[in-house]
Amino acid sequence: MTAVFAAPASDAIPITFATRSSWEADKAALSAAAQRFADSSGFTAKPGQFLGLPGPDGSLAQVLFGLDEASAPARDPFRAGQLPTLLPEGIYRFANAPDARLAALAFALGSYRFGRYRKTDTPNARLVPPDGIDAAEIGRISDAAALARDLINTPANDMGPDELAAAAAALAERFGATYACIVGEDLRAKNFPLIHAVGRASSRAPRLIDLTWGDAAHPRVTLVGKGVCFDTGGLDLKPSGSMLLMKKDMGGAANVLALAQMVMDAGLKVRLRVLIPAVENAVAGNAFRPLDVFPSRKGPTVEIGNTDAEGRLVLADALALADEDKPDLLIDLGTLTGAARVALGPDLPPFYTNDDALADDLSRSAREENDPLWRLPLWPAYDKWLDSKVADINNAPSNGFAGSITCALFLQRFVEPTTRWLHVDIYGWTPTAKPGRPEGGECQAARAIFHLLSQRYG
Ligand code: BES
Ligand code: MN
Ligand code: ZN
């Protein structure tokens, strides 16, 4: 279980949550001295307000923390995720929590720091899990979230296709999954022309990672993640401002690995397969070019309208392979378009599916798990924008409209219409720190999808 949780201890320091409207009643339960201390310190339970109360000997005896009103439309569900940053080292427990599971999850997610390159002030407040919650499940989820964050935060010089594959291999090893990988020229020989074309200009060979786990008799769930370890844009080079964050362009891969870890750790009754096309979209003399035409694994020829629309290319070949063994559910995640951010911002990834029941279940799971997702349509009338003058399809419509939708429509061409398919266009990054979400790589969509899979295959 995650290191954030501690065994029950009689001297764990209680944390009392209050909102502005509940504070007077909550205060009445405190000792007279504690009430005076809180009043004279100006504590009014504003959201995020924190106060440590001394005991008779002057040591920290109790903590007060302000939450958003439950009715506040813009309340931050992860407010308790600020606590690990505020609390000194010690063992704590919740004296009262309106939603103990959510507060414990926020606490666990807020304890993360990226510490690979220097000693960080990693929070060392530990929490006795509140009664009645599944602490093992919270630990499973927050550990997997930390994996996604670590993979994304690690810069591209230390997280190339090879290192991403090593992370997948380590995960396979830990859970007894089988692991395979097709590397470099073998991609061409084994018919993954698009993965090869995108990744060939890098000195770090492109590859297709393939992990399988679980009872072969269980329903097949296949996860595909965009693993572009760095996206320069290729010959359609990104300007420096747009390139700056592109170490995170393997955020889809990081999140399918996190999701796979949750699924295997929980022992869901599925036959799980994880496919990650891992490449670097680099610039060199042998780079693929605008207006090049390539065959694809599934068959249609693809004209390159823009070498910066590389994610959909590598996913197309991986989705085609995924589809070949007719999964019960096919899910892909990727940091695919800037247009998704323009439409919905960094915290609300759009998703697309050809199954309305799945869409409803996922929307509910996303709400319940506070891992928000928003459905956008696979709008059929825009499909013709993908037409090419010389090939079966072009990877980048020239009109620039509805970029996240046209990307989803591109991917749809590589999935059989009968396959139950879900595509999520994630951002994978928290631009400015929020409670429970330090700035940097983010676990996005994985918790919501895990919730859905737990309900369907638990
Ligand atoms: N990795 C980018 C998308 C991206 C950019 C995600 C910024 C998050 C933040 C993707 O490969 C890309 O470059 N997409 C292009 C597509 C276009 C050329 C059709 C885009 O969104 O501009
Ligand atoms: Mn790109
Ligand atoms: Zn990209």
Side-chain angles (χ1 to χ4, degrees), residues 152-455:
I152 297 171
N153 286 331
T154 302
N157 63 313
D158 282 333
M159 188 50 64
D162 193 13
E163 289 87 355
L164 186 55
L171 195 64
E173 166 92 37
R174 172 169 164 201
F175 292 100
T178 53
Y179 168 85
C181 195
I182 302 169
V183 184
E185 279 306 311
D186 276 358
L187 287 167
R188 234 202 291 250
K190 299 208 161 111
N191 194 24
F192 298 96
L194 294 174
I195 299 174
H196 183 269
V198 171
R200 73 188 187 192
S202 173
S203 55
R204 306 190 289 179
R207 61 205 69 206
L208 178 61
I209 299 158
D210 189 349
L211 182 155
T212 306
W213 172 89
D215 188 335
H218 286 153
R220 277 197 282 277
V221 173
T222 299
L223 312 177
V224 181
K226 171 177 170 180
V228 175
C229 293
F230 196 79
D231 182 11
T232 65
L235 291 175
D236 287 307
L237 196 66
K238 288 180 183 292
S240 59
S242 309
M243 200 190 297
L244 184 64
L245 274 182
M246 285 299 119
K247 70 171 183 181
K248 79 174 177 71
D249 216 19
M250 32 60 74
N255 274 287
V256 301
L257 289 175
L259 175 54
Q261 179 171 318
M262 293 179 209
V263 167
M264 296 189 289
D265 205 1
L268 296 192
K269 296 185 185 62
V270 294
R271 171 71 159 179
L272 183 72
R273 187 177 192 190
V274 179
L275 293 171
I276 295 174
V279 303
E280 179 174 8
N281 189 17
V283 179
N286 64 340
F288 75 129
R289 312 162 191 83
L291 298 194
D292 278 356
V293 177
F294 297 97
S296 63
R297 178 172 188 84
K298 193 169 177 64
T301 53
V302 182
E303 181 186 32
I304 306 303
N306 193 315
T307 62
D308 199 9
E310 84 297 336
R312 65 195 73 182
L313 297 171
V314 299
L315 286 183
D317 273 355
L319 284 168
L321 172 67
D323 223 357
E324 286 164 22
D325 55 19
K326 298 267 156 280
D328 190 52
L329 181 54
L330 175 54
I331 300 172
D332 77 80
L333 308 183
T335 50
L336 283 154
T337 70
R341 266 64 273 167
V342 173
L344 298 175
D347 303 337
L348 186 58
F351 75 86
Y352 302 83
T353 176
N354 52 5
D355 182 322
D356 291 341
L358 179 68
D360 292 345
D361 284 357
L362 184 61
S363 294
R364 195 175 340 98
S365 290
R367 268 196 310 277
E368 287 175 3
E369 196 55 33
N370 291 292
D371 187 10
L373 298 171
W374 199 262
R375 189 183 192 187
L376 288 184
L378 290 158
W379 195 252
Y382 296 166
D383 188 74
K384 61 174 176 298
W385 294 349
L386 294 162
D387 288 348
S388 158
K389 292 195 174 101
V390 302
D392 293 319
I393 187 169
N394 187 293
N395 78 330
S398 52
N399 66 21
F401 292 139
S404 180
I405 294 178
T406 53
C407 177
L409 291 168
F410 179 93
L411 296 175
Q412 190 178 34
R413 296 266 195 117
F414 298 87
V415 177
E416 286 299 310
T418 49
T419 301
R420 190 175 295 115
W421 170 58
L422 167 68
H423 159 61
V424 193
D425 192 346
I426 64 170
Y427 193 61
W429 189 264
T430 298
T432 46
K434 292 193 289 292
R437 287 150 294 177
E439 180 178 331
E442 193 48 288
C443 180
Q444 239 179 11
R447 289 188 296 107
I449 297 170
F450 176 62
H451 188 73
L452 174 120
L453 297 179
S454 300
Q455 285 179 344

Side-chain angles (χ1 to χ4, degrees), residues 18-243:
T19 66
R20 273 205 198 85
S21 65
S22 77
W23 169 233
E24 284 306 317
D26 293 321
K27 191 168 73 172
L30 304 179
S31 73
Q35 294 192 27
R36 271 194 301 280
F37 189 89
D39 282 340
S40 59
S41 304
F43 186 83
T44 56
K46 286 197 286 284
Q49 197 179 7
F50 168 87
L51 185 66
L53 300 178
D57 65 350
S59 62
L60 182 63
Q62 191 171 5
V63 168
L64 305 177
F65 187 71
L67 294 179
D68 307 68
E69 300 293 350
S71 59
R75 74 177 182 285
D76 192 321
F78 294 108
R79 187 64 72 179
Q82 280 175 243
L83 282 166
T85 322
L86 298 166
L87 293 169
E89 179 168 6
I91 295 179
Y92 299 85
R93 66 179 172 84
F94 295 156
N96 67 332
D99 183 338
R101 181 188 182 273
L102 178 58
L105 176 63
F107 194 101
L109 292 173
S111 298
Y112 172 85
R113 291 295 177 276
F114 180 57
R116 180 163 171 158
Y117 298 100
R118 68 168 181 222
K119 286 202 191 68
T120 52
D121 40 351
T122 305
N124 41 22
R126 299 172 68 219
L127 180 70
V128 176
D131 290 341
I133 70 155
D134 186 344
E137 193 213 25
I138 304 283
R140 198 145 58 222
I141 292 172
S142 57
D143 285 353
L147 171 70
R149 288 165 166 183
D150 277 343
L151 292 172
I152 297 171
N153 286 331
T154 302
N157 63 313
D158 282 333
M159 188 50 64
D162 193 13
E163 289 87 355
L164 186 55
L171 195 64
E173 166 92 37
R174 172 169 164 201
F175 292 100
T178 53
Y179 168 85
C181 195
I182 302 169
V183 184
E185 279 306 311
D186 276 358
L187 287 167
R188 234 202 291 250
K190 299 208 161 111
N191 194 24
F192 298 96
L194 294 174
I195 299 174
H196 183 269
V198 171
R200 73 188 187 192
S202 173
S203 55
R204 306 190 289 179
R207 61 205 69 206
L208 178 61
I209 299 158
D210 189 349
L211 182 155
T212 306
W213 172 89
D215 188 335
H218 286 153
R220 277 197 282 277
V221 173
T222 299
L223 312 177
V224 181
K226 171 177 170 180
V228 175
C229 293
F230 196 79
D231 182 11
T232 65
L235 291 175
D236 287 307
L237 196 66
K238 288 180 183 292
S240 59
S242 309
M243 200 190 297

